[in-house]
């Protein structure tokens, strides 16, 4: 995973956005709401040609919020089956959802778990929203693991372990003559183990705090039996220079190794390909494709004027060069701001499971596309446990990469109004064997993304929302650059205590290199019954 030496913050822990009904930590609440629904969707081209497509969607879902003394959990899961009208509108099944739970097992000991199911496009339009008439792949990710914290005299002791799994299932068969490897991800298991012991300034030594920490991360991916291992240890110091400012820094040692086997060859000496992926030669040894072993260090400043605000900036040396990291966090009574500057070695499997692990709280709102049922990229929460996934889901590959960029999120809930805004930029510099033709070693993908949401609660039964999104994926290796943008608005009307109606209008545009721009108009009307 991408580790940031930043107190109380990581890229995966960025908080974002809004919730219609925020609950305080002291509330006790258990809400489990199963539902079924039916809606009619029409999609038509405004630019770029194509057919008008009509679908009837039947949905079944479950939303749950649990907040008790021992359990804090949230779930939003939906199954959608689309019946297409006409030969061009094919039937489809969509399963999407997000789950997060924190269970307090004993004093200081807790168990965290969560999962994600969503779709991504596999027709070359990386980063664009899935549509009913496009090739897609199903993404699964989940994790589980315990964490423990305790106080031993003046020393704080922490330990945690996380087991993660990520998988991408393609919905098209690429076992045809002349098929080329597409560098797509298959599945992987990840392990992350960390521990630390330390004391705050003025508790053991005058004016200085020290923390010793160590960790081990491992990922085993099925594609070419790839294995990532990262072992590290370091000591960090905090030196207050005023009531609100402290100097921070650390030094340690890290060893990272990435290995993978060779592809199996056919009788003519060419790599065997199955469904767009190399077939692994199990008899070949794992070749070392990345090796980093060296001293790591960083130093910076921490500004914390009050318990709501924290600013930290660090510069250091890692991965054989300079690194720059930072964070700004502000938590108001009804608003939240988070900005992160990050730098690390990552992969899709480690990144998506870390994003899922960042979710927390007993309630978050999942922004769904009303025309397809897909998650639009973010889960919003006023308790600081929201997360955006669209950056991780853009340009999915089986390669490891140097992962650098910035991410920012803002959330506000005031009266009947809710507002959320998230955006960022990331760069992936690929770590691959010399001579690979899918993703060239040292080539770069870049991604810019933004999501916005606005909600207004009219009364207990009626509400309006507006969602906007933009994603620009600048691809390497001859793949097309893709710009996706759009917006949709929905009106929800309560008919009775259990029955509600909805109506939505939207626009979605896709612009890719050497391809005509496609702009689609969409409309939806539906009914939902909650049990």
């Amino acid at each position: 995973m991408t580790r940031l030496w930043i107190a109380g913050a990581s890229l995966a822990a960025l908080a974002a956005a809004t919730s219609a009904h925020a609950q305080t930590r002291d509330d006790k609440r258990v809400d489990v709401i199963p539902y079924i629904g039916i809606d009619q969707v029409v999609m038509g081209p405004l630019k770029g040609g194509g057919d008008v497509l009509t679908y009837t969607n039947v949905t079944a879902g479950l939303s749950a919020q649990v907040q008790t003394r021992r359990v804090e959990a949230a779930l939003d899961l939906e199954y959608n089956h689309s019946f297409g009208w006409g030969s061009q509108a094919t039937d489809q099944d969509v399963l999407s959802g997000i789950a997060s739970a924190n269970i307090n097992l004993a004093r200081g000991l807790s168990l965290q778990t969560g999962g994600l199911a969503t779709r991504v496009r596999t027709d070359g339009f990386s980063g664009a929203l899935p549509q009913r008439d496009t090739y897609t792949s199903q993404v699964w990710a989940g994790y589980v693991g315990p964490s423990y914290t305790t106080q031993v005299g003046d020393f704080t002791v922490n330990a945690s372990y996380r087991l993660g799994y990520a998988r991408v299932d393609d919905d098209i068969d690429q076992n045809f003559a002349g098929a080329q490897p597409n560098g797509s991800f298959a599945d992987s298991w990840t392990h992350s183990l960390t521990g630390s012991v330390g004391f705050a300034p003025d508790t053991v030594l005058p004016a200085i705090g020290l923390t010793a920490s160590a960790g081990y991360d491992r990922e085993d991916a099925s594609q070419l039996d790839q294995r990532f291992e990262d072992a590290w240890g370091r000591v960090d110091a905090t030196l207050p220079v005023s009531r609100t400012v402290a100097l921070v820094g650390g030094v340690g040692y890290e060893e990272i190794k990435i290995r993978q086997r060779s592809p199996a060859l056919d009788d003519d000496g060419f790599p065997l390909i199955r469904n767009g992926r190399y077939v692994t030669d199990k008899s070949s040894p794992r070749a070392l494709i990345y090796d980093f072993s060296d001293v790591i260090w960083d130093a910076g400043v921490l500004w914390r004027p009050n318990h709501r605000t924290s600013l930290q900036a660090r510069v250091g040396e890692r991965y054989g060069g300079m690194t720059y990291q930072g964070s700004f966090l502000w938590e108001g009574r009804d608003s939240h701001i988070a900005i992160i500057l990050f730098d690390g070695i990552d992969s899709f499997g480690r990144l998506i499971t870390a994003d899922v692990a960042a979710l927390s709280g007993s309630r978050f709102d999942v922004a769904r596309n009303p025309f397809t049922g897909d998650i639009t990229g973010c889960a919003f929460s006023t308790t600081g446990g929201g997360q955006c996934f669209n950056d991780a889901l853009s340009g999915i590959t089986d390669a490891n990469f140097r992962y650098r960029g910035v991410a920012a999120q803002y959330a506000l809930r005031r009266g009947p109004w809710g507002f959320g805004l998230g955006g960022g930029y990331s760069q992936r510099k690929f770590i691959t064997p010399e001579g690979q033709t899918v993703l060239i070693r040292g080539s770069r993908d870049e991604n810019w993304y933004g999501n916005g949401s606005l909600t207004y609660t009219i009364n207990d039964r009626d509400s309006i929302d507006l969602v906007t999104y933009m994603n620009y994926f600048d691809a390497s290796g001859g793949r097309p650059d893709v710009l996706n943008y759009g917006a949709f608005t929905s009106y929800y009307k309560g008919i009775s205590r259990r029955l509600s109606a909805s109506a939505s209008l939207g626009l979605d545009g896709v612009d890719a290199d050497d391809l005509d721009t496609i702009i689609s108009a969409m409309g939806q009307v539906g009914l939902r019954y909650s049990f």
Side-chain angles (χ1 to χ4, degrees):
M1 63 176 288
T2 301
R3 266 192 325 278
L4 306 177
W5 310 115
I6 296 175
S10 71
L11 170 65
L14 273 176
T18 64
S19 173
H21 304 285
Q23 298 294 313
T24 67
R25 296 286 181 181
D26 296 329
D27 289 343
K28 291 185 178 181
R29 180 174 181 175
V30 178
D31 287 337
V32 179
I33 305 174
Y35 62 85
I36 57 174
I38 185 169
D39 59 83
Q40 192 69 32
V41 173
V42 177
M43 299 181 179
L46 295 180
K47 184 178 181 180
D51 300 309
V52 175
L53 304 176
T54 304
Y55 295 89
T56 298
N57 299 327
V58 176
T59 61
L62 177 68
S63 64
Q65 296 88 42
V66 178
Q67 185 164 335
T68 66
R69 186 171 62 88
R70 289 190 174 273
V71 179
E72 191 172 38
L75 169 70
D76 188 309
L77 180 65
E78 183 175 287
Y79 167 75
N80 181 311
H81 181 78
S82 298
F83 297 92
W85 293 24
S87 60
Q88 299 300 316
T90 59
D91 291 3
Q92 289 192 10
D93 294 285
V94 177
L95 179 64
S96 60
I98 298 176
S100 174
N102 181 74
I103 305 169
N104 294 316
L105 302 175
R107 183 180 179 87
L109 178 64
S110 62
L111 180 71
Q112 293 82 36
T113 185
L116 166 73
T118 189
R119 294 191 306 164
V120 295
R121 291 178 71 152
T122 50
D123 55 358
F125 292 92
S126 296
L129 286 181
Q131 299 294 347
R132 295 300 187 192
D133 59 339
T134 59
Y135 293 123
T136 60
S137 293
Q138 183 74 38
V139 176
W140 313 91
Y143 80 99
V144 64
S147 63
Y148 180 73
T149 183
T150 189
Q151 197 73 24
V152 181
D154 293 325
F155 290 84
T156 301
V157 179
N158 295 289
S160 67
Y161 168 74
R162 184 171 74 218
L163 172 67
Y165 179 72
R167 183 182 182 90
V168 176
D169 290 325
D170 298 329
D171 69 350
I172 55 175
D173 184 4
Q174 300 188 53
N175 293 315
F176 54 86
Q180 297 297 315
N182 55 22
S184 61
F185 180 88
D187 70 328
S188 75
W189 289 93
T190 58
H191 307 265
S192 181
L193 177 65
T194 60
S196 67
V197 57
F199 54 86
D202 294 322
T203 56
V204 176
L205 297 177
I208 191 171
L210 293 175
T211 298
S213 56
Y216 175 74
D217 294 287
R218 172 169 163 168
E219 180 181 25
D220 290 284
S222 60
Q223 178 75 315
L224 298 180
D225 279 353
Q226 188 179 91
R227 177 171 294 172
F228 167 91
E229 291 183 289
D230 180 6
W232 56 271
R234 59 182 283 140
V235 176
D236 286 270
T238 302
L239 176 63
V241 295
S242 73
R243 187 180 61 85
T244 61
V245 177
L247 300 179
V248 293
V251 63
Y253 188 83
E254 183 172 28
E255 181 177 87
I256 302 176
K257 295 184 183 297
I258 304 175
R259 298 181 174 91
Q260 67 181 41
R261 301 188 193 277
S262 301
L265 305 178
D266 61 19
D267 294 337
D268 297 322
F270 294 103
L272 289 173
I273 298 169
R274 183 176 299 136
N275 201 28
R277 299 180 176 94
Y278 288 119
V279 176
T280 305
D281 181 0
K282 297 290 187 180
S283 64
S284 65
R286 283 193 175 96
L288 186 65
I289 64 173
Y290 181 82
D291 186 7
F292 169 80
S293 302
D294 207 347
V295 173
I296 57 175
W297 65 268
D298 54 61
V301 61
L302 170 65
W303 177 59
R304 186 171 290 162
N306 52 58
H307 70 282
R308 296 179 179 272
T309 308
S310 176
L311 172 67
Q312 187 167 178
R314 294 196 183 207
V315 60
E317 188 171 6
R318 198 177 176 199
Y319 315 125
M322 298 301 293
T323 61
Y324 306 91
Q325 302 174 56
S327 71
F328 174 74
L329 302 173
W330 181 78
E331 189 76 38
R333 187 182 64 176
D334 52 11
S335 58
H336 177 84
I337 298 174
I339 303 172
I340 290 282
L341 180 69
F342 57 90
D343 187 350
I345 301 292
D346 232 314
S347 70
F348 171 73
R350 300 195 302 279
L351 181 59
I352 194 65
T353 52
D355 282 353
V356 175
L359 291 171
S360 64
S362 61
R363 184 179 181 95
F364 46 76
D365 291 337
V366 179
R368 292 184 180 274
N369 186 320
F371 314 103
T372 67
D374 292 292
I375 298 170
T376 59
C378 294
F380 298 135
S381 173
T382 55
T383 59
Q387 185 63 34
C388 288
F389 304 96
N390 41 343
D391 188 50
L393 296 172
S394 297
I396 296 174
T397 75
D398 62 343
N400 284 265
F401 44 82
R402 179 79 176 269
Y403 187 51
R404 288 177 281 194
V406 62
Q409 296 177 350
Y410 170 69
L412 172 68
R413 164 61 62 179
R414 187 163 296 164
W417 294 95
F419 178 74
L421 185 64
Y425 162 80
S426 67
Q427 179 194 93
R428 297 171 174 87
K429 182 179 180 181
F430 295 108
I431 302 169
T432 58
E434 298 290 349
Q436 178 168 310
T437 59
V438 179
L439 294 171
I440 306 301
R441 186 179 183 91
S443 62
R444 294 174 172 86
D445 285 351
E446 295 179 296
N447 193 58
W448 290 261
Y449 65 94
N451 291 80
S453 70
L454 178 68
T455 62
Y456 179 72
T457 303
I458 302 171
N459 52 47
D460 291 341
R461 293 185 177 181
D462 305 338
S463 64
I464 299 173
D465 65 33
L466 171 67
V467 174
T468 62
Y469 52 88
M470 183 282 298
N471 199 94
Y472 177 65
F473 184 73
D474 186 356
S476 62
R479 296 168 294 152
D481 299 342
V482 180
L483 171 64
N484 177 226
Y485 52 89
F488 57 82
T489 184
S490 302
Y491 174 67
Y492 304 94
K493 174 68 177 178
I495 300 174
S496 67
R497 188 169 66 91
R498 297 185 181 275
L499 184 65
S500 62
S502 64
S504 304
L505 294 173
L507 289 173
D508 182 81
V510 180
D511 188 4
D513 288 346
D514 302 323
L515 297 172
D516 292 336
T517 299
I518 300 172
I519 300 178
S520 303
M522 299 166 286
Q524 175 264 358
V525 291
L527 293 172
R528 173 179 291 188
Y529 184 83
S530 300
F531 294 92

